[in-house]
Structures are given as C-alpha cells and as structure tokens.
Amino acid sequence: MTEVSLDDSQRATVQIDPEERQIVIAGPGSGKTEVVSALIEHLTEEEGVDHLDGLLVISFSNAAVHAAEGRLRDHGAAPVSVQTLDSLASALLRDLATEDHTDLDFDGRVVEATRLLEIDGWDRIGDLQHLIVDEVQDVVGVRADFLLAIIAAIPADAGFSLLGDPAQGIYDFQLGPPGSDRAPASTTTSAQLLESVTEAHAPALRQLTGQYRAASRDARTAMRLRDAALPDGEATEMEDFFADLVHLGRIEEAVDLLRGWSGTTALLTSTNGQALATAGVLRRLGMVVEIRRSAHHQVAAGWIAATLGDSTTDSVGKAGFEKLISERHPDIDAADAWRALRSLTGARGTEITVSSIANRLRAGRSLLPDLTQRPSVDVVVSTVHRSKGLEFDNVVVLDFPSRGRIAADSDVDGARRTQFVALSRARSYLVRADGPDDRDLRLATNPATQRARWIVGGHKTWMTFGIEIGVGDIEPVFDDPAPSQAHIEAEVVAGADLDLRIDVEASTLEFPVYAVIHNGMTIARTSRTFGEDLASRIGTLERRRGTWPALYGAEVEAIATSASDSRSDSSWRHGLYLAPIVTGLLTLDWNGSTE
C-alpha cells in the first residue's frame, strides 16, 4: 500500500472510527480525492471495515467514479464499490422491483428506487458500516431525496462521510428557475440536503485547508476566491480577478499558443451549443479536440469489441481472455478488465459470454469506469458544469456574443459559483478568450419525440444551416461487417475526417440515412434517430419534393464499442462492433452532391 502524506486537516478527516458521522468542506485543490482514498484505506485496513459489504462510496459522475477508482488502485487499496446514485438506483431496482421499469427515465428510476428503499429497505444499505459521498454539493432534486433515504436506512451504528464544497454547488439549475413552468419531481437543493442531514444526524463539521493543485500565481489566486463565491461573499473580488486575466483575443487567433502548451487544456463554455461551435472552429484549424459528454452518455471502450467482437466462440474463459488482451490491447490491465466484464454480465463462474456483454450494452446498462471510453486527446471543450470535479493543466474561459461571460445569469449566486468552478479548474495557465459567434445557435426540439438538438439557424425560425450529431447517432455497418471492422481497427484514429453520403437504399421519404465513409471505405451509418431529428427540422422528402442535403464537418472523436444484433453468418457474430464516435455541428449544404 502506498503511504500518503496528509496535512492536519486531512488527517482529522481520515483517522476516524467507522461509526463516526462527518461533513467535510473540501475546496478545489484541497486534496479531497487523496483524502477519500486514504479514508478508505484507514477504514478497511486499520478499522476492519469489510471492503465489499461494509463500505459504499457514492460519487456524483462517472468521471469522478473513474478518478476515485484509479486513485484507489494507485494506492494499493482493496477494491470497493464506487457508484453513482443513478447506478445505485438501478441496482436497487434490479434487486427489489417486481415490475419492469426499463421505460422510466433516469429521474423516474431514482424516484422509484427511493420509494422502494423507504418501504422495504435494502440489504446492500442495511449491512453498511460506513458510507462515503463525494461531491455532495452536486446532489440535488430526486437524487438528494434518494441520498437522504440511504442515510436514513444505514444502521444506527454505521457512520458516514459527506465531502463537498458549497461554493461549487452549481446544479440547482436542474430544479428549474423560480416561477418557471418546469415542474421537477423534487425541489430539494444541495443546501437543504446538508441542512436535513445536520438536523437529523448531528455530524461533525470539518474543513480541508490545504492547497495542492495550483502551480501558478493566477491559479493560486483563483483558489482563494472561494469565499467570494458564497452567498455573503464579495462579488467584485471575483469580477476584478476575471477582468485582469490575460485575454487571448478570438479563439481562432490563439490556436498556435494552445498547440504550444504542455499537458491537458480545457476550453470552458456556458452551454453545450457553444462547446460544439468552439470544437468546430478548432477542428477546422487542424486541432484534435474532444467535446466533454454528459454523465448520462456513457460510451463503451473500443478495446471491448477489438478484443472480443470476432471471437470464434461465445464463451470465453479468463485465461483465454487474458491472452487476447495481451495480444491486442497490452495497455489494458487484464485483471481489471475481466473483473469489470464479469460485473457487467453478472457472471458467477470462470467464463463470460460475448453475447451477454452485447446484450447488456444494448440495454444501456450502467458501465463501470474500466469499461468506458477514456479521453484520448489533450484538448477538451466543455461546459463548466461538465468540467465539474476535473482538473486541467491549462484552462481557457470563453466569452460569447450572445451570453457574454460565464457568470452572465439571472441567478446571481448560482452564476458566482459557476464562475468560481470555471476559474478553479486550472493548475497552471488560466486565461480567457472570445469564443465563436453563437447568436444563431439554439436548441430545437423534435415535436414528435421531444428530443432536443443544437442547430445553427437563421433569421427565420425554419432555417437550419447546421445540426448537432452526437453519441448514439452512428451505427455499425451490418451487410458484411468484417471489412469495415478491419478498416476501423487499422486506419481510423481520433481527428480523422469522415464523409457523409446519403444511403439511398436505407433512406426513406420520412428520414435520411447517411453512409459514414473514411478513405473510400464505408465504416458506419447514421442512426434513424438522427435522421428523424434532421427531418423534423427540414421536412420530409414527400413534403418538400426535393433531395436530402449533403452534410459536412464530421470528424472522429474516438473509437468505441457499439452493441447491436448478433450475426451468425459473420466473423463478427456476437453483436459487438467497433464504431466511430462523432460529435459536433454538421453543416447542411443544399447544393452539394447527394448521390
């Protein structure tokens, strides 16, 4: 086990009895993740807490889960259960629900899990000795209610540690603005969650006081703005600091500078539409960038299909799997991968079945971090909300014509916290720049399905010059997948340009399907969902009596695993395929070729 050097405030948080209950205020860069790892080590190694049944770690997002599990492995800690509240709710429903809840949305599953927990209890909670919750300030609404029910259900002699920072609580916006037509299932804020826990359980209140992230003067100053982000803080202090940051001008003019930076770089925006537009500008200038995805948009890692997709047998043993991994993906830890796949399929013996993996992925089962696609590039474009809990070597905070700076928001307190989160992501360079023109960006909803996508519009509401493509909009080619799969594995990399050409045979009068082509090889196709959403904006062929538009601007973000129907007549027979992830704004061209 790795020895971790702790400061006094960290040591007070870590060296506790299992039955102790505490709320820990942990500002950015205060070493919270190290504290969580050390706390787990202390509880399991020194206090005898069972690392599987006696301990549960809840983290806000899959990214945070992945970070926590990685730190635990690095420190040699015993494997523990680290889950999001959504994955925990899904597990509870699988254990307790007597009805099928697959048609419920994310919030609906959490609400039903809360109801069942309050009525029936749950052995997974009833056996706990200690509960750890990371990023507690991000838990709002139905998830806050679910967490309160979990805390109420743990044994009377069990303890808990809730770690977070009220100055970074930026998710209350999900509850809807005061007086709006939105009617959330719950209006519990993160502050109300902590108040309820304090009143009901009287936990000890502790604060981490160190600073271990910031490596530059601006980054260190940004960390000290935490008090200014609180409701009673001095707002002008943060405004003055933001105004004094180095301004790079238009983002197009700063590309050469960005290329020269070492480490990871994040460009932060207010909306995902702005992130899409910014990524498009950078890609056109030759940069390879990744758009930060929502926590709900999990992508299965490409190594799964690359290792098992063309397996000659459905059943694979541990020794055979480790041999395949070592040959095809030696960068993947075979033991971690095997354990994660067994967990996904619920396997109990010494073998896993490839078809079960495909079935679980196709059903949208929540993935352990070891099974998700990890960032493969150093430059990320993200909303501030999606960057929450992450840190980067360099951060560029972007202003936009329509919204101005990130803090421009009717919720003054929420805007201040959001700006603080943006400013506190950097270790070294912290600058600002002007993003691309976003005045024609807007969310458009397909009235038939209520799905929403970002579009580039015009001065008339019906005009559509660009449309968002994202996770789930690309499907494998099925007629003979072997050639396309071999091409993807051998030649397609992040940043590769793709051609989208109308697939006449697959398209209908109601929606288009585009073949996804790389260097002359068709490697995938667009989904029916994408086609329906595009048609909802531009009209069907029957209504317009025209042709489908050409689409430009598609670029590979990553290679992932896609799950679909099995094909007994193919060497890729089990339903696991490699497919490109394509995200961004595609340009519609009515004059281009549609042949």
Side-chain angles (χ1 to χ4, degrees):
M1 185 184 302
T2 302
E3 287 293 328
V4 180
S5 178
L6 302 176
D7 64 32
D8 290 343
S9 65
Q10 293 172 329
R11 196 174 299 108
T13 298
V14 167
Q15 296 178 353
I16 61 172
D17 296 330
E19 63 270 18
E20 187 161 348
R21 301 181 169 193
Q22 61 178 347
I23 293 176
V24 182
I25 306 301
S30 60
K32 175 172 59 63
T33 305
E34 296 289 347
V35 164
V36 171
S37 301
L39 176 58
I40 291 170
E41 291 176 4
H42 169 76
L43 291 172
T44 56
E45 301 296 329
E46 298 180 27
E47 298 294 337
V49 173
D50 186 284
H51 66 278
L52 291 178
D53 296 326
L55 189 65
L56 173 62
V57 182
I58 296 175
S59 200
F60 174 71
S61 68
N62 289 298
V65 168
H66 185 86
E69 290 194 330
R71 295 290 183 93
L72 291 174
R73 284 196 297 269
D74 291 344
H75 291 186
V80 299
S81 176
V82 186
Q83 293 184 261
T84 65
L85 282 166
D86 287 77
S87 66
L88 195 65
S90 296
L92 188 150
L93 291 177
R94 287 196 296 273
D95 283 357
L96 299 183
T98 57
E99 300 177 1
D100 183 8
H101 295 294
T102 56
D103 58 333
L104 292 177
D105 61 13
F106 289 104
D107 284 3
R109 287 198 288 270
V110 174
V111 170
E112 180 62 15
T114 304
R115 187 185 72 84
L116 291 175
L117 178 60
E118 291 174 339
I119 294 173
D120 300 327
W122 190 27
D123 289 345
R124 178 70 184 94
I125 303 300
D127 293 337
L128 284 180
Q129 295 169 271
H130 201 87
L131 170 70
I132 299 175
V133 182
D134 190 17
E135 304 285 4
V136 69
Q137 80 284 340
D138 293 333
V139 182
V140 301
V142 296
R143 288 161 188 80
D145 296 339
F146 185 37
L147 180 56
L148 287 171
I150 291 171
I151 292 173
I154 65 175
D157 58 352
F160 61 72
S161 298
L162 312 183
L163 299 96
D165 181 13
Q168 299 181 72
I170 60 175
Y171 282 91
D172 287 346
F173 77 95
Q174 294 178 343
L175 307 177
S180 72
D181 294 332
R182 291 172 60 183
S186 169
T187 59
T188 305
T189 67
S190 55
Q192 290 169 339
L193 164 64
L194 292 177
E195 290 171 3
S196 296
V197 171
T198 300
E199 292 176 1
H201 305 283
L205 180 63
R206 297 187 169 99
Q207 183 166 356
L208 303 183
T209 57
Q211 176 49 242
Y212 303 99
R213 176 187 299 172
S216 68
R217 183 188 63 183
D218 282 344
R220 287 191 294 270
T221 303
M223 300 300 180
R224 291 195 290 268
L225 294 172
R226 182 183 176 277
D227 288 346
L230 295 170
D232 296 330
E234 181 54 58
T236 57
E237 185 179 358
M238 190 177 301
E239 292 295 312
D240 291 344
F241 173 77
F242 186 88
D244 288 339
L245 286 178
V246 171
H247 191 279
L248 302 182
R250 295 169 57 239
I251 193 62
E252 296 93 329
E253 301 166 342
V255 167
D256 288 340
L257 180 63
L258 299 184
R259 287 195 178 104
W261 285 348
S262 61
T264 56
T265 297
L267 296 96
L268 301 183
T269 68
S270 291
T271 72
N272 197 48
Q274 293 168 345
L276 295 168
T278 302
V281 168
L282 296 177
R283 287 167 173 170
R284 287 191 291 273
L285 293 172
M287 293 194 71
V288 180
V289 304
E290 181 173 297
I291 301 171
R292 181 77 186 162
R293 293 183 286 269
S294 163
H296 292 317
H297 289 159
Q298 287 188 298
V299 173
W303 65 261
I304 302 173
T307 303
L308 299 172
D310 62 348
S311 174
T312 56
T313 62
D314 188 30
S315 181
V316 178
K318 183 177 181 181
F321 174 78
E322 291 178 343
K323 183 174 185 294
L324 284 171
I325 279 283
S326 65
E327 293 172 350
R328 299 186 177 187
H329 272 279
D331 57 313
I332 300 299
D333 186 290
D336 291 339
W338 176 259
R339 183 174 63 248
L341 288 173
R342 279 172 52 86
S343 175
L344 176 68
T345 60
R348 294 292 182 265
T350 59
E351 297 183 335
I352 55 176
T353 57
V354 184
S355 57
S356 294
I357 296 171
N359 290 339
R360 299 300 193 279
L361 294 180
R362 192 165 55 246
R365 184 69 61 84
S366 180
L367 300 178
L368 292 172
D370 284 317
L371 300 180
T372 59
Q373 183 66 35
R374 301 182 185 183
S376 57
V377 299
D378 289 333
V379 180
V380 174
V381 186
S382 174
T383 64
V384 178
H385 289 87
R386 293 183 183 179
S387 74
K388 182 72 182 61
L390 304 178
E391 59 185 58
F392 305 89
D393 293 300
N394 318 297
V395 168
V396 183
V397 183
L398 296 177
D399 293 338
F400 289 85
S402 72
R403 291 286 303 275
R405 65 183 54 181
I406 281 174
D409 198 306
S410 58
D411 175 8
V412 176
D413 288 340
R416 196 184 304 173
R417 293 192 298 271
T418 300
Q419 190 171 49
F420 175 63
V421 168
L423 296 174
S424 60
R425 299 304 94 202
R427 284 187 286 262
S428 297
Y429 291 123
L430 176 60
V431 298
R432 59 192 183 98
D434 294 331
D437 193 337
D438 66 333
R439 285 172 291 192
D440 290 327
L441 279 172
R442 61 187 66 117
L443 271 177
T445 301
N446 183 337
T449 63
Q450 298 304 303
R451 288 190 300 262
R453 290 179 189 266
W454 287 95
I455 65 151
V456 180
H459 65 278
K460 295 184 179 180
T461 58
W462 54 267
M463 290 181 171
T464 304
F465 301 109
I467 189 168
E468 176 186 359
I469 190 168
V471 175
D473 288 334
I474 302 295
E475 298 177 344
V477 175
F478 297 109
D479 291 340
D480 182 8
S484 64
Q485 293 295 293
H487 183 89
I488 291 172
E489 189 165 13
E491 299 189 31
V492 183
V493 296
D497 292 329
L498 299 172
D499 294 325
L500 298 187
R501 301 177 191 170
I502 197 70
D503 186 328
V504 176
E505 293 184 359
S507 299
T508 71
L509 294 176
E510 286 74 35
F511 62 88
V513 174
Y514 292 82
V516 180
I517 301 170
H518 176 263
N519 289 347
M521 168 69 73
T522 298
I523 60 172
R525 65 187 180 191
T526 57
S527 67
R528 173 172 181 155
T529 298
F530 175 79
E532 289 175 343
D533 290 348
L534 176 59
S536 76
R537 284 295 308 171
I538 64 177
T540 63
L541 282 191
E542 191 171 33
R543 194 181 81 187
R544 292 188 299 102
R545 293 186 175 86
T547 59
W548 296 115
L551 299 177
Y552 297 101
E555 184 175 301
V556 177
E557 185 172 285
I559 302 299
T561 293
S562 177
S564 191
D565 297 329
S566 60
R567 290 287 304 272
S568 59
D569 58 345
S570 166
S571 58
W572 289 68
R573 67 190 65 181
H574 306 294
L576 291 179
Y577 303 94
L578 291 168
I581 297 298
V582 182
T583 60
L585 289 170
L586 300 179
T587 300
L588 278 65
D589 184 354
W590 296 99
N591 298 316
S593 171
T594 58
E595 294 299 317

